[in-house]
Amino acid sequence: TKVGRYDADPERQFDFSRRRVLDSVRLSIERMKCRYVDVLQLHDPEFAPSIELILEVTIPAMVQCRDAGLAKALGVTGY
């Protein structure tokens, strides 16, 4: 599953917040009716308002998901 880019609407397209990462992972797990995702991808980090947000908020939230057993592996994908 992926975090970061969510919607085609430019107003809601990107959200790199901790809350959105955690909610997105839980929702994906619920939808797929499983206990964890194999890979949690940070999608399009180049569109974040700052690299600090990615490094200090988004990635730590992803690590939290992995450490809680909600994701087996973490990755990054972009253009």
Side-chain angles (χ1 to χ4, degrees):
T1 197
K2 65 183 176 78
V3 297
R5 178 177 234 165
Y6 298 99
D7 203 300
D9 177 0
E11 294 293 318
R12 300 180 316 189
Q13 193 167 25
F14 298 101
D15 186 344
F16 297 94
S17 68
R18 178 182 182 280
R19 177 84 269 145
R20 186 66 168 111
V21 168
L22 300 177
D23 288 348
S24 180
V25 172
R26 288 188 184 109
L27 184 58
S28 290
I29 288 170
E30 230 175 74
R31 285 180 182 154
M32 292 187 287
K33 296 181 168 102
C34 58
R35 294 185 322 224
Y36 63 88
V37 295
D38 289 320
V39 179
L40 176 57
Q41 292 271 22
L42 172 53
H43 190 57
D44 292 342
E46 65 271 24
F47 292 101
S50 71
I51 189 67
E52 290 79 19
L53 177 63
I54 297 298
L55 296 175
E56 297 171 11
V57 176
T58 311
I59 291 174
M62 293 173 67
V63 169
Q64 180 182 344
C65 290
R66 186 199 58 205
D67 291 350
L70 301 176
K72 294 295 179 185
L74 305 177
V76 178
T77 183
Y79 288 104

